[in-house]
Structure formats: structure tokens, C-alpha cells
Amino acid sequence: MNLPPVPANLERAAGWSWRLLVCAAAVLTVLAVLWYLRVIVLPILLALTIAPALAPVAGWLRRLRLERPAAALALLTGLAVVAGLVAIVTTSVLAQYDELADSVSRAVDDITDRLEGEPFNLSLARTEDLQSSLADSWREASGYAASGVQAGVGLLTGLVLAVAVLYFVLRDGAAFWDWVLRRFAPETRPLIDRAGRHAWAVLGGFVQGTALIAAIDASLIGIGLWLLGVPLAFALAVLVFLGAFVPFVGAFVSGLVAVLVAFADEGWEIGLAALAVVVAVQFIEGTFLQPIIQSRTVDLHPAVILLAVAAGASLFGIPGAYLAVPVTAVLFAVVGSLRSDSAAPGAVP
């Protein structure tokens, strides 16, 4: 019995289907390996994203004939800056903790009064429900104490590994790249070298552009909070600066923290004014700053950035959200460079 011939469209669809299934299986395998090795992968990626920001410092020190300690001094400079920013936030919050706690308590009471009054007419048993909720939360927190200690040890180990990798990249980055190139055939080394250098330039442009955008966001929001009389304006501006390294999401979320502080301490009017400041600054960033500053280095559509941040956060949490955009930008840069080189006249087949 002869079967009828398969239509050409169906045959093409079947061919593309198994190819897509193979690609999906390969992607899932890579993600599974990365997840399994996340204790090693995340610190390495974190070090590689920070290295372009400290490489100019190391180069400047080498030009001053400080060849041997250049990498260590550049690393210590970066650690000192990060430690200083974190110290500003923590010390400022601790210095005004009692005042903030009282403000938050008053804000909660105010919200409860409004919900119990017209037009909501809700019945809220404050004391009993609050005490039972606190007791339940304490029991849950005690149950997760062991896992929290384990997570803290893992975080500390990852930070130590990231610092060590960052030091070796600053010290031996060029020599290591030459070693990588020697693993390829001589005729393909120029293509790989150009793709790697283009990826490094894109990564450096992303880090420098993000730092500039974060500084502008923090300055504008900090000035607005200071003019509104919000407490901890400088510390909140530093928090916005740190959060802005997660594009589109981080600065807005950290800005909402500032809005909550303004609402708790100053009331509805100042809270709404602080929210207006945060939204206006985010509008300026998304409309003007982001396209102008990073359009020459990171050519990614905003939808791609949002999807990358969401995927990175779902897989690896906060570190994944930070690393998602630079990793995606580097991958796009490498693929684009290899495609342009292969399509150029006289390229190696």
C-alpha cells in the first residue's frame, strides 16, 4: 500500500519542529548546569561585570610604574567605594531607627483609622491580630534559622570567590585572554579576538553607562527628597544609586522605599510628592538618559531587557537580576560580531 506523499509545507514544519526541540533541550541543559553550578558561576559573572569598571584604575596605576600592586590597589579602591556606600545607608538608618519606627507605627495607626472609618467601615482587631501575627512570624523565622545560616555561609563564600576572581582578572586578564585564543585554530583566532574585544567594550560601556545613570537618578531623587524634608534623604539617594544597577526595575523599587519613608514620617501629602519625584525621574531616565547614554554600547530593546531581568531574577534572585542585562548584552555582541565577520568579504568559512 503506497502512502500519499507528505506535503512540502508539512515536511518543512516537521524539520523546523525537531530543530526547535533540539535547541530548546540544549538551552534547558545549559540552564540546568548553570543552576547546579550557581555557587561558582554567579561569582565569576559578578567579577567579570565589575572588572571593566576597575580596569582603567589598574591601567592608570600601571602607567605610574606601579605594575605589581596595580591590581590589588584597584581592587581595594573598588571594595572601599562599595563598603562606604553600604556604611552610609546602614549608619544613617541605625542613627534614626527609633524615629523611623515611631513614624511607621503612626502611619499604620493612621491607615487603620481610615479603613475603620467612612466609607470603608472595616473592623480591624489591631492588638490581638498583630500579636498573633508576630508570634506566627517568629515561629516561622525560628524554623528557617538553619537554612538562613546556610544561605549566609554560601553568600560569604560567593563574595570571597568573586573578589578572588576579580583580582586575577585585573592582574592577568590579558594573559588569560591570550591563553584562550591559543586554544583555537590560527585561522579563527582573529574572529574570536574581535568578538571578545567587542564583548569587553560592550560590557565596559554598560557598566560605565549604568553607573552614570544611577548617579543622576540618585542625585535627582535625593535632591527632591531633601527639598521635601524627608528624613534619610542622602541614605535613600545612595540606596537608589545601588538599586539602579538593575535596569528599569531597581531604581523604581528603591525609590518606592523612599516614598514609604516619606509617607510614614511626613504624611500623605509629602508621600505623594515623593512618589511624583520618583516617577518623574524614572520618566526622564527611560525617555532621555537610557537611550542617549547606552544606545552606543548596549543595543537592546527595552522589552528584551525586561525579559532578561525577569528571567535572571527568577533563576538566581537578586544577583541574577543584576547580571541578566550585561550577560544578555555580551551574548548579543558576540553573536553580532561573529555574524558580521562571517558575512564580510574574504571571511574565513
Side-chain angles (χ1 to χ4, degrees):
M1 179 180 179
N2 294 327
L3 296 176
V6 178
N9 291 333
L10 181 59
E11 187 174 0
R12 283 196 297 268
W16 278 107
S17 298
W18 74 260
R19 289 181 177 89
L20 290 175
L21 290 175
V22 170
C23 293
V27 170
L28 291 176
T29 302
V30 171
L31 291 177
V33 172
L34 292 177
W35 172 255
Y36 184 75
L37 300 176
R38 63 189 181 277
V39 177
I40 300 175
V41 173
L42 288 179
I44 293 176
L45 294 179
L46 181 62
L48 291 178
T49 57
I50 299 175
L54 297 180
V57 179
W60 176 72
L61 292 172
R62 290 188 178 97
R63 289 191 294 270
L64 294 178
R65 301 182 182 276
L66 297 173
E67 181 67 29
R68 294 181 64 86
L73 292 176
L75 178 61
L76 290 176
T77 301
L79 292 177
V81 171
V82 174
L85 294 176
V86 174
I88 289 173
V89 176
T90 53
T91 55
S92 299
V93 172
L94 291 177
Q96 302 187 29
Y97 177 79
D98 294 335
E99 179 183 352
L100 287 176
D102 293 338
S103 299
V104 171
S105 178
R106 291 195 302 270
V108 171
D109 291 338
D110 180 61
I111 293 175
T112 304
D113 291 336
R114 291 177 181 271
L115 292 177
E116 289 180 338
E118 296 290 341
F120 302 103
N121 295 322
L122 298 178
S123 178
L124 300 177
R126 305 185 193 181
T127 306
E128 294 79 3
D129 291 346
L130 180 60
Q131 289 178 351
S132 61
S133 300
L134 290 176
D136 294 339
S137 301
W138 175 253
R139 282 193 294 269
E140 292 180 3
S142 301
Y144 289 116
S147 60
V149 171
Q150 184 179 3
V153 172
L155 177 62
L156 181 61
T157 304
L159 290 176
V160 172
L161 181 58
V163 171
V165 172
L166 179 58
Y167 170 74
F168 288 118
V169 170
L170 294 174
R171 193 189 70 173
D172 304 321
F176 179 74
W177 180 242
D178 292 337
W179 178 84
V180 171
L181 290 177
R182 289 196 297 270
R183 306 282 76 79
F184 294 91
E187 61 271 13
T188 60
R189 287 175 189 172
L191 276 69
I192 301 299
D193 187 36
R194 282 194 293 270
R197 294 185 183 277
H198 182 52
W200 183 259
V202 167
L203 185 59
F206 168 79
V207 173
Q208 295 171 7
T210 302
L212 180 58
I213 293 173
I216 296 175
D217 283 353
S219 300
L220 294 178
I221 293 178
I223 292 173
L225 295 177
W226 176 70
L227 292 176
L228 293 173
V230 177
L232 302 176
F234 184 68
L236 292 172
V238 173
L239 186 63
V240 171
F241 175 81
L242 295 176
F245 281 88
V246 179
F248 293 110
V249 179
F252 183 75
V253 173
S254 56
L256 289 181
V257 176
V259 173
L260 293 176
V261 172
F263 164 72
D265 192 79
E266 301 292 337
W268 286 96
E269 294 81 3
I270 301 299
L272 292 176
L275 178 61
V277 170
V278 172
V279 172
V281 171
Q282 292 303 301
F283 175 79
I284 294 173
E285 175 195 332
T287 307
F288 302 103
L289 297 181
Q290 199 84 22
I292 294 174
I293 294 177
Q294 290 190 342
S295 60
R296 297 182 180 180
T297 56
V298 182
D299 188 15
L300 294 178
H301 193 275
V304 176
I305 295 177
L306 289 176
L307 290 175
V309 171
S314 63
L315 288 174
F316 303 110
I318 295 178
Y322 164 72
L323 295 171
V325 177
V327 170
T328 305
V330 167
L331 291 177
F332 273 70
V334 170
V335 173
S337 178
L338 292 177
R339 290 183 60 183
S340 62
D341 283 341
S342 62
V348 178

